[in-house]
Amino acid sequence: MNAIGPVEPGEDTYGRDNTHDRIAAAPRAAWRTPRHHRTALAAAAAVLLGAAGLTLHLTRPEPPPAPPPPWPSQSVAVTYTGEMSRPRAGERNFTFAVTVTHEAGPPVSVRRVAQPSAALSVHASPATPFTVKSGTPRKLIITMHIRECGEVPRNAGLPFLEVTLRNARANERQSYILGPEYANDLSGALTAACPRTRVS
């Protein structure tokens, strides 16, 4: 049969082309799966979040340092609580009580208790050093010893107590004037132990 018309492809033409197209297209189809898009988006989001977090960390200002604790003398009070003993003439020792109170802040160590008069000396019980904590007052029994009657102070306001305090900030020596009741009681005790008639 002789006919003129378009030349038709051979028997295996479509089969080979289709197979080739499917093989060539398979990687591209796999590249474009929804799962791949989700993974790529998640990775990109993680990178962006990490970069944002690093930028925020690098640009965030450092918090200000904590304020230092108060000076020990600003947080400790020493008050006269009475109980002044009355010595007889010629006795050299008498006692009285004070309370050490710490108002706030870190604990304060009481390192020493003294007084300025060379004619007198003091001893505290409990013995120094000891620690005072906020909200826990400490009662001290002070024993005062008269070294020389002729030199004891006759001023009713003296002697005050010198207390050495220490905390995390500083070491301080603070003078505490214990008030008029203390001054009157002390004057009476010194006069009883050292009558003026015996003072040269």
Side-chain angles (χ1 to χ4, degrees):
M1 178 173 168
N2 292 326
I4 298 174
V7 178
E8 296 185 8
E11 186 177 326
D12 296 328
T13 303
Y14 288 117
R16 284 194 303 269
D17 288 346
N18 287 343
T19 302
H20 176 73
D21 289 343
R22 285 196 301 273
I23 293 172
R28 290 193 294 271
W31 175 259
R32 294 182 183 126
T33 61
R35 180 178 178 184
H36 174 77
H37 284 298
R38 287 194 301 271
T39 304
L41 287 173
V47 170
L48 288 175
L49 286 173
L54 179 62
T55 302
L56 181 62
H57 175 73
L58 294 176
T59 58
R60 180 185 301 162
E62 291 294 325
W71 295 94
S73 60
Q74 293 176 335
S75 63
V76 170
V78 178
T79 55
Y80 174 63
T81 54
E83 304 176 40
M84 181 82 69
S85 65
R86 181 60 64 97
R88 291 190 293 268
E91 289 185 343
R92 292 293 181 261
N93 295 323
F94 58 95
T95 62
F96 59 92
V98 297
T99 299
V100 181
T101 305
H102 177 41
E103 296 175 1
V108 173
S109 174
V110 178
R111 311 297 293 177
R112 184 171 180 263
V113 178
Q115 54 74 50
S117 173
L120 302 169
S121 64
V122 297
H123 171 77
S125 179
T128 56
F130 60 86
T131 299
V132 182
K133 297 180 180 179
S134 178
T136 309
R138 297 291 298 268
K139 181 179 180 180
L140 299 184
I141 301 299
I142 304 294
T143 299
M144 188 164 286
H145 174 71
I146 302 171
R147 291 176 173 166
E148 178 57 53
C149 265
E151 301 297 327
V152 295
R154 297 296 175 174
N155 185 324
L158 295 175
F160 49 82
L161 290 184
E162 294 177 341
V163 183
T164 303
L165 305 168
R166 182 175 184 177
N167 68 358
R169 179 171 185 171
N171 192 73
E172 277 189 298
R173 186 173 67 182
Q174 180 72 10
S175 296
Y176 290 93
I177 298 174
L178 303 181
E181 183 182 357
Y182 165 76
N184 291 335
D185 290 352
L186 177 62
S187 178
L190 291 175
T191 300
C194 301
R196 291 183 183 272
T197 57
R198 298 183 59 184
V199 177
S200 58

